[in-house]
Amino acid sequence: MFGSLGISEMNRRVRRKCAKGAQKLDLSTNPETEDADYLKLNEDGFVDWTRLPDDTVLQLFSHLNYRDRANLSSTCKSWRSLGSSSCLWQSLDLRAHKCDWGIMDSLASRCTNLEKLRFRGADNADSLINLRAKNLIELSGDYCRKLTDSTLAVIVARHKLLESLQLGPDFCERVSSDAIVAIAFCCPKLRKLRLSGIRDVNGEAINALAAHCPDLTDIGFIDCLKIDEVALGKVDSVRFLSVAGTTNIKWDLVGENWSKLPNLKGLDVSRTDVSRSIIVRFFLPLKGLKVLCGFNCPSLEEDTTVFTKTNCEGKMLLTFFNDTFKELSLMFPNAKEREREIFMDWRSESKKKYENLDEIMSWVEWILSHSLLRIAESNPHGLDQFWLTQGADLLLNLMQSFQEDVQERAATGLATFVVIDDENANVDVGRAEAVMKGGGIQLLLGLARSWKEGLQSEATKAIANLSVNPAFAKAVAAGGGITILAGLARSMNRLVAEEAAGGLWNLSVGEEHKGAIAEAGGIKALVDLIFKWPRGGDGVLERAAGALANLAADDKCSMEVATVGGINALVTLARKCKHEGVQEQSARALANLAAHGDSNTNNAAVGQEAGALEALVLLIRSQHDTVRQEAAGALWNLSFDDRNREGIALAGGVEALVALAHSCSNASPSLQERAAGALWGLSVSEANSIAIGREGGVAPLIALARSQTEDVHETAAGALWNLAFNPGNALRIVEDGGVPALIHLCSSSLSKMARFMAALALAYMFDGRMDEYALVGSSAEGGSKSVGLERARRMALKHIETFVLTFADPQAFSAAALSSAPAPLAQVIESARILEAGHLRCSGAEIGRFVSMLRNQSPVLKACAAFALLQFTVPGGRHAAHHVNLLQVSGAPRVLRAAAAAASAPLEAKIFARIVLRNLEHHQIDSAP
């Protein structure tokens, strides 16, 4: 299920990070043999890991995330010292953590040589200054909508060695030109500045950058509302400029001023309204300009003929209508036959001849990853061919970049561009296949195994989304993806665990994957997630509950869910969580746990869990239809257990479900079916049946019985059948117009079960037990009621007779009437049997009611009763043995023999009675020792 939803292996090069001027790791070329002596067993038979050389321990630390480094550092004094080594703390990613001033202060001692920092949100930005990382060179932040000028000014004032500052891709709505001026004054060594969503980048700010940041070569004012075009044309140092997504640009001023930039090599105008004439007149003639990126620029795509080989000579024009690989291959001699491998060739350390391309190719990677992600998010029409022919391959190539943020955006782009319908979790099959053909599964699985949690999170998100496609899911499972996802679900990083749970949710849709998830420890990991983040993690809780709901549909997995504490976890969510998605999935999981009947004890166990029934009854009153639907489904399944049935009633379930049935006339068929189904289940108890009638439950069930949807009217017919057993309810059905509705079902429904149960309900209503209720009142009213009931009775019996005769094959009946041999009776059974009726379970009172009908004066009711008993006793039926035992105890064989021999009984009643007697004999033989 997207679930219900109900939504991939590469070898990563791990760079060892050492502080400048600090000790360097002098690693042996053959560490396996060098360390072998240290790893020998000690006298107690254990390996003493603390005997490892310091260089080896440092290398081990370098492959761990920050949390694991801290945990490992706490094992002993010597490792605590090594774990704090500055060479391990050159880079820090705090995006998954909420870091207040105290936490930042505790990290400060390790961050004296910190060079690269990534953070998320304005709250973390406020506390950054407490790190005292004076040597910080690169700072990158996202989710900075609330970041203010004053906070940003303080940050740059404390980090004057900054060479790179990136804020985005979400909009920096509270950052103004004043902050850019502060950046210019405080960071004279700035080389790269990329800001997203600034409202107005004025001339004063840009002039300050030009004056105080002489090394500023890379500028990105992305998705801004307004920029000063003239001032930007005076930043002579700029070599790479991106204004992608920026609006209100005066292109005439751009052409006049930016065309004079002496060092401009790369320009990105993607997602803008730039015109063809501006490009042809001002930028294509520029000798120094190498790359012009113009993805999703409508004006450029209207007429591509103006971009001729002559006027584009020496320029790489990256657009939807050009092959990006072919365009970029112009920088690589002899690349004609390897156009799709140009990124790989450039990154190859052995090809030193491409070193001079590092700067421009790194920029191209960045702007491509950004543009493709933005375009995937907006999902414009008409790009299928682009994604299939080059877009998917571009993202797969970018996932192998040495730039971590490029890798992350490429993985996010993959996760996004394959989804064509968020609401219904639909994935484009062609795009998913393109990812698979390009080796995307192994690449994504490789990133998911990275120690870098940002890569883990985005790669896992892509795996989760792509796994909606069954073929991709199968390939992920075959590549060891289930084990990887189960491991990541145990991550202490909530974002990673959330995406891993989402992956397991989508994979668990396939029946073939459920067992593998259980074997990999995925079920326990999912249950543990619920206890690990009981609050503030609605996303992870919804995904964990959704995955458990899918897994609980399997009998063996459902028992595993119960064994590891899943029932308690899911009930806790249903009781305490207020998030719609979490409520829906936890209710669905409880419904599936309770759906296995007698095959396991989960139905009773869910009902006995403290607060379970009360929580589900409360969810019935939710404002959200999806929550009400799953809660009603859970109560329906739970009502098959006698104790649960009474517990639901005590918790106010009758009133809640009647109110739901009243309110769902315009709701989805699924909700209507479950509302009627839950009332059907509760009405098995006569006390509940009477309560449902008293609460006004008859009228909405009649309305649902008129539904055109087969599942809805079939379920409503079942509920009305149960209710009609009580004479008072039977009268309510008549008075509320139920007879025409049931007659219509009995004669017209495409569902044999709906017709069968409608006929049985009518039989209950007119077998004579309702008469005394109908005559209560004045004599005038009594006479009127009597006439009306008699008319309804005649209509009902007529349609019951017609229904029964549709299962009476004349040829088979004639043969059975003339012979007592088994073969003719078997032929009658074949034509008369309703397979689904074998799942119905009747009480002793209900069986007794049908036996009594065999003595009724009405030949139609005799035939109907014999037909019903045939359905309930056919060998192989789920509850046939139960029904046979009830018949034997009630002395039914004598009545059945009398019905079979009665001269006045209709032929169908006789034949059906003979078959029931034969069924009783069959069961006696089978049960004999």
Side-chain angles (χ1 to χ4, degrees):
M1 319 181 343
F2 247 148
S4 288
L5 297 165
I7 154 172
S8 312
E9 171 174 304
M10 87 174 196
N11 296 320
R12 283 278 294 122
R13 185 177 80 172
V14 180
R15 293 178 175 173
R16 199 176 307 111
K17 296 181 174 63
C18 299
K20 295 179 181 179
Q23 76 264 30
K24 294 185 178 180
L25 303 183
D26 184 15
L27 300 177
S28 168
T29 57
N30 192 7
E32 291 85 355
T33 56
E34 180 178 308
D35 295 341
D37 291 338
Y38 296 103
L39 296 179
K40 290 180 179 178
L41 299 180
N42 61 18
E43 296 177 356
D44 298 323
F46 298 102
V47 173
D48 185 359
W49 292 93
T50 61
R51 296 178 60 200
L52 285 172
D54 288 353
D55 284 353
T56 303
V57 175
L58 284 172
Q59 185 181 28
L60 177 63
F61 273 117
S62 71
H63 289 269
L64 300 177
N65 60 42
Y66 313 112
R67 187 183 293 102
D68 290 340
R69 287 180 195 172
N71 290 337
L72 198 56
S73 298
S74 65
T75 56
C76 64
K77 184 176 181 180
S78 60
W79 282 19
R80 185 178 301 112
S81 176
L82 289 172
S84 300
S85 299
S86 58
C87 66
L88 296 173
W89 296 90
Q90 278 190 289
S91 176
L92 189 60
D93 187 349
L94 298 176
R95 288 176 297 169
H97 311 280
K98 290 185 178 180
C99 300
D100 56 22
W101 286 64
I103 293 175
M104 291 295 192
D105 189 59
S106 67
L107 289 172
S109 61
R110 302 176 185 182
C111 297
T112 53
N113 291 309
L114 185 67
E115 295 183 355
K116 183 177 180 180
L117 176 64
R118 303 182 76 179
F119 71 93
R120 174 166 291 161
D123 293 338
N124 278 2
D126 288 337
S127 55
L128 282 183
I129 58 175
N130 233 28
L131 274 180
R132 299 187 291 279
K134 296 182 179 180
N135 296 310
L136 194 65
I137 294 174
E138 295 182 33
L139 181 62
S140 176
D142 56 24
Y143 291 91
C144 294
R145 289 184 181 275
K146 296 182 180 180
L147 181 64
T148 62
D149 282 352
S150 58
T151 298
L152 185 54
V154 172
I155 290 173
V156 295
R158 297 292 183 93
H159 304 98
K160 296 187 177 182
L161 299 182
L162 275 180
E163 295 180 9
S164 173
L165 176 61
Q166 301 184 68
L167 301 177
D170 46 296
F171 296 174
C172 302
E173 296 175 347
R174 298 187 180 183
V175 174
S176 71
S177 292
D178 292 342
I180 298 175
V181 171
I183 292 169
F185 278 100
C186 295
C187 304
K189 294 188 176 184
L190 196 65
R191 301 174 61 84
K192 182 189 300 179
L193 178 65
R194 294 168 180 162
L195 304 176
S196 295
I198 309 297
R199 292 184 181 277
D200 182 9
V201 184
N202 62 30
E204 181 186 358
I206 296 174
N207 290 334
L209 291 171
H212 300 283
C213 302
D215 298 325
L216 184 59
T217 58
D218 187 338
I219 295 178
F221 293 133
I222 302 166
D223 292 309
C224 297
L225 293 181
K226 184 180 179 183
I227 57 174
D228 189 309
E229 299 86 355
V230 175
L232 200 51
K234 296 177 182 178
V235 187
D236 292 344
S237 61
V238 67
R239 292 204 286 268
F240 302 100
L241 175 62
S242 175
V243 291
T246 293
T247 58
N248 301 311
I249 296 177
K250 299 180 178 65
W251 289 107
D252 288 340
L253 293 177
V254 166
E256 293 174 10
N257 292 275
W258 296 5
S259 60
K260 299 174 184 178
L261 290 170
N263 298 304
L264 190 63
K265 289 185 178 181
L267 175 63
D268 179 17
V269 293
S270 298
R271 299 182 292 113
T272 66
D273 59 354
V274 64
S275 65
R276 298 186 302 277
S277 60
I278 293 294
I279 299 296
V280 173
R281 285 169 52 203
F282 293 106
F283 292 114
L284 293 183
L286 282 180
K287 292 182 178 180
L289 187 67
K290 299 295 182 185
V291 180
L292 178 62
C293 186
F295 284 109
N296 204 23
C297 296
S299 178
L300 300 187
E301 294 155 20
E302 287 175 0
D303 182 9
T304 62
T305 59
V306 299
F307 302 107
T308 64
K309 186 175 182 180
T310 301
N311 63 25
C312 291
E313 185 176 1
K315 305 289 186 295
M316 289 165 280
L317 185 59
L318 310 184
T319 62
F320 286 146
F321 54 82
N322 282 337
D323 185 327
T324 300
F325 291 100
K326 188 174 182 178
E327 290 292 307
L328 292 175
S329 68
L330 297 175
M331 292 189 289
F332 298 84
N334 304 319
K336 288 186 177 181
E337 297 181 0
R338 294 179 55 84
E339 290 174 350
R340 296 278 161 160
E341 285 78 37
I342 55 172
F343 286 98
M344 185 186 305
D345 290 346
W346 162 60
R347 297 187 195 110
S348 175
E349 294 183 358
S350 62
K351 299 194 176 184
K352 300 295 183 183
K353 58 183 178 181
Y354 295 148
E355 281 185 351
N356 62 325
L357 297 178
D358 282 357
E359 184 182 41
I360 192 167
M361 283 298 289
S362 295
W363 181 77
V364 166
E365 280 192 334
W366 194 92
I367 57 118
L368 279 176
S369 67
H370 191 280
S371 290
L372 292 176
L373 175 56
R374 281 297 199 205
I375 293 165
E377 288 172 340
S378 61
N379 194 25
H381 294 292
L383 290 186
D384 282 348
Q385 192 63 23
F386 167 77
W387 288 120
L388 295 177
T389 57
Q390 59 173 312
D393 282 344
L394 283 170
L395 290 170
L396 292 172
N397 272 278
L398 294 172
M399 275 171 48
Q400 301 170 73
S401 171
F402 293 152
Q403 300 179 75
E404 186 178 340
D405 56 344
V406 170
Q407 285 183 298
E408 288 184 16
R409 268 195 299 275
T412 308
L414 278 180
T416 307
F417 96 105
V418 295
V419 179
I420 54 177
D421 183 354
D422 285 337
E423 186 174 346
N424 297 308
N426 286 336
V427 167
D428 186 279
V429 175
R431 296 180 186 184
E433 288 178 351
V435 174
M436 285 194 287
K437 289 178 182 177
I441 292 174
Q442 293 306 314
L443 288 173
L444 288 167
L445 290 176
L447 289 184
R449 282 194 289 262
S450 167
W451 65 268
K452 297 178 179 178
E453 293 175 334
L455 292 178
Q456 288 179 350
S457 176
E458 299 309 321
T460 307
K461 180 189 298 180
I463 294 169
N465 285 359
L466 285 158
S467 293
V468 171
N469 177 274
F472 194 95
K474 185 176 181 180
V476 167
I482 288 176
T483 300
I484 293 173
L485 291 173
L488 292 177
R490 301 183 186 95
S491 173
M492 295 300 293
N493 183 320
R494 183 174 60 80
L495 299 177
V496 173
E498 180 176 321
E499 300 301 344
L504 293 174
W505 186 0
N506 288 341
L507 283 166
S508 62
V509 171
E511 294 297 323
E512 67 273 27
H513 304 314
K514 289 182 169 68
I517 292 172
E519 290 176 9
I523 292 178
K524 187 176 188 309
L526 290 165
V527 171
D528 289 344
L529 280 182
I530 294 174
F531 292 114
K532 190 183 295 183
W533 282 291
R535 295 183 182 86
D538 293 336
V540 69
L541 294 177
E542 179 179 6
R543 287 163 174 77
L548 289 172
N550 287 348
L551 292 163
D554 176 83
D555 185 46
K556 290 183 178 179
C557 290
S558 73
M559 291 189 287
E560 174 74 9
V561 172
T563 300
V564 298
I567 293 177
N568 176 258
L570 291 164
V571 169
T572 300
L573 288 184
R575 288 175 56 206
K576 297 183 177 180
C577 190
K578 303 304 180 186
H579 183 267
E580 174 190 352
V582 179
Q583 291 177 336
E584 176 188 348
Q585 296 307 324
S586 59
R588 186 170 73 91
L590 292 171
N592 287 347
L593 282 169
H596 298 282
D598 300 330
S599 62
N600 63 46
T601 60
N602 284 346
N603 191 303
V606 171
Q608 292 166 16
E609 184 68 32
L613 301 179
E614 292 82 358
L616 290 168
V617 169
L618 191 62
L619 293 182
I620 289 293
R621 303 184 186 278
S622 169
Q623 298 299 310
H624 307 288
D625 279 0
T626 54
V627 176
R628 298 194 292 171
Q629 173 180 309
E630 299 303 340
L635 292 176
W636 185 4
N637 288 345
L638 288 165
S639 66
F640 283 89
D641 179 86
D642 294 341
R643 290 180 59 183
N644 288 345
R645 212 163 29 241
E646 305 315 314
I648 294 168
L650 288 172
V654 170
E655 296 84 353
L657 287 166
V658 168
L660 177 62
H662 271 291
S663 66
C664 70
S665 57
N666 295 319
S668 69
S670 294
L671 175 55
Q672 292 175 337
E673 179 195 5
R674 285 163 174 78
L679 288 171
W680 183 9
L682 286 183
S683 63
V684 170
S685 158
E686 186 169 10
N688 288 345
S689 177
I690 294 171
I692 291 170
R694 187 168 53 248
E695 287 293 326
V698 169
L701 285 169
I702 292 172
L704 294 176
R706 294 192 180 101
S707 169
Q708 297 299 311
T709 304
E710 187 174 303
D711 290 338
V712 176
H713 67 236
E714 180 181 300
T715 311
L720 289 170
W721 171 36
N722 278 358
L723 291 176
F725 186 85
N726 176 266
N729 284 337
L731 182 58
R732 288 190 180 95
I733 295 173
V734 175
E735 292 174 340
D736 288 343
V739 173
L742 289 169
I743 285 175
H744 178 75
L745 284 185
C746 184
S747 59
S748 304
S749 175
L750 297 177
S751 164
K752 289 183 180 180
M753 278 292 285
R755 291 161 59 202
F756 178 52
M757 292 186 292
L760 297 186
L762 290 170
Y764 278 172
M765 292 162 62
F766 296 106
D767 67 353
R769 299 195 183 188
M770 182 181 64
D771 294 349
E772 60 185 88
Y773 283 82
L775 298 176
V776 174
S778 68
S779 59
E781 288 178 345
S784 175
K785 284 185 178 180
S786 178
V787 173
L789 284 175
E790 183 57 31
R791 188 183 302 114
R793 183 175 184 275
R794 286 197 302 268
M795 289 175 56
L797 292 179
K798 177 183 176 182
H799 285 86
I800 292 173
E801 181 181 20
T802 302
F803 165 75
V804 173
L805 289 176
T806 59
F807 293 89
D809 180 83
Q811 187 175 354
F813 266 64
S814 298
L818 297 173
S819 171
S820 60
L825 293 179
Q827 192 176 356
V828 172
I829 293 174
E830 185 178 349
S831 62
R833 187 178 184 185
I834 302 173
L835 288 174
E836 299 89 344
H839 295 285
L840 297 173
R841 181 185 176 96
C842 296
S843 66
E846 289 172 308
I847 292 295
R849 185 85 170 255
F850 289 117
V851 172
S852 296
M853 282 188 203
L854 292 172
R855 303 190 189 98
N856 198 286
Q857 296 295 319
S858 168
V860 173
L861 291 177
K862 286 181 180 179
C864 181
F867 179 76
L869 292 173
L870 181 154
Q871 306 298 333
F872 299 145
T873 59
V874 173
R878 182 176 178 182
H879 302 293
H882 165 73
H883 295 143
V884 166
N885 182 60
L886 293 177
L887 285 168
Q888 296 285 7
V889 171
S890 66
R894 179 174 55 83
V895 180
L896 286 163
R897 282 191 289 270
S904 60
L907 178 61
E908 57 271 17
K910 294 179 180 182
I911 300 299
F912 290 149
R914 284 173 55 194
I915 292 173
V916 176
L917 284 168
R918 182 172 174 270
N919 291 343
L920 296 181
E921 293 170 1
H922 175 87
H923 282 283
Q924 280 183 322
I925 294 171
D926 285 350
S927 61

